[in-house]
Amino acid sequence: MSAMRMLITAGPTREPIDPVRYIGNRSSGKMGAALVRAALAAGQEVTAILGPVATPFPSAAQRIDVETAEQMLAAVLREFPKHDLLIMAAAVADYRPVAASAAKLARKGVRMLELESTADIVAAAGRIKRPDQRTVGFSLETTPDPQRVRDKLRQKKLDLIVYNAVETISSELIQPTLFFADGSEEKLPSRPKGEFADILIQRSAGLFD
């Protein structure tokens, strides 16, 4: 594998409701940490853009910490032009409050929270992608729907997308299916995320062949 610059996102985002509450998800960052370790072990130069994670990340990677989807979007769009490959392993919150309260909200019966969609970060990266760059995404689904995954692959201009079930979001194991832009698929048996990370780094490097 020839050396390249890899940009890897990991962990959740937190979308503030007020100064102490937020909308988030159960992402642990374990998949992203495994990918960073695998990429470094393969001799790649790695930048990691991380949401709020407790999982340890290798110090050899350049680390950029963010909290919200908007901050992660800005970091990806700033950093991606400097890199050969983006692996979007972060579990970005799909929604955020339309307006966050500047003061802590008091508990007061039923409260309605108006939400809006956050930016589709990997799609935004796809819009600025050069012909010499590649993008890899993840599709976390409750119910298997291969056509939905293929649609995401095409719409977001991805070169590879990893489908995995929602149960794996905080698990040590993953049972993924890889969908490639050329229409091919690769279904892999359940394995530790560290083992899968080695495979995905290899498959990602193969996208440049």
Side-chain angles (χ1 to χ4, degrees):
M1 181 189 303
S2 58
M4 66 182 71
R5 299 194 69 192
M6 294 188 174
L7 181 62
I8 299 173
T9 70
T13 65
R14 292 177 178 174
E15 312 303 325
I17 296 172
D18 63 19
V20 297
R21 302 181 182 94
Y22 59 85
I23 294 173
N25 57 58
R26 295 189 290 112
S27 174
S28 64
K30 291 175 182 176
M31 188 71 257
L35 287 166
V36 170
R37 286 192 294 270
L40 290 170
Q44 311 306 323
E45 184 178 346
V46 181
T47 300
I49 299 176
L50 308 179
V53 294
T55 302
F57 277 73
S59 59
Q62 178 186 352
R63 176 169 176 158
I64 300 171
D65 289 290
V66 299
E67 183 165 342
T68 67
E70 186 175 1
Q71 292 168 353
M72 184 171 284
L73 172 66
V76 168
L77 294 183
R78 183 182 66 245
E79 295 296 323
F80 184 40
K82 311 172 193 175
H83 292 76
D84 304 298
L85 171 74
L86 167 64
I87 301 180
M88 191 72 196
V92 180
D94 293 319
Y95 295 97
R96 66 185 173 202
V98 169
S101 173
K104 182 176 180 288
L105 297 172
R107 180 163 49 188
K108 187 180 178 181
V110 176
R111 187 182 294 274
M112 302 298 292
L113 188 63
E114 188 177 7
L115 304 178
E116 63 183 359
S117 297
T118 58
D120 189 328
I121 298 174
V122 75
R127 289 192 289 270
I128 66 167
K129 182 171 65 172
R130 301 187 306 266
D132 63 322
Q133 293 177 301
R134 302 291 183 270
T135 51
V136 175
F138 279 72
S139 181
L140 190 71
E141 305 289 346
T142 304
T143 304
D145 186 347
Q147 188 56 52
R148 174 176 165 80
V149 177
R150 293 189 195 97
D151 289 344
K152 285 184 178 182
L153 177 74
R154 184 184 67 259
Q155 293 164 2
K156 300 172 192 289
K157 299 182 180 178
L158 290 161
D159 299 282
L160 166 60
I161 190 168
V162 180
Y163 160 76
N164 57 307
V166 71
E167 291 81 12
T168 69
I169 191 167
S170 57
S171 172
E172 298 292 337
L173 301 176
I174 185 170
Q175 187 173 352
T177 301
L178 310 185
F179 292 80
F180 295 85
D182 65 3
S184 62
E185 300 176 17
E186 182 180 7
K187 189 170 184 177
L188 298 171
S190 179
R191 65 188 66 220
K193 289 180 176 177
E195 291 183 12
F196 172 64
D198 291 330
I199 295 171
L200 185 57
I201 292 299
Q202 292 170 6
R203 299 295 187 272
S204 298
L207 297 172
F208 293 86
D209 295 341

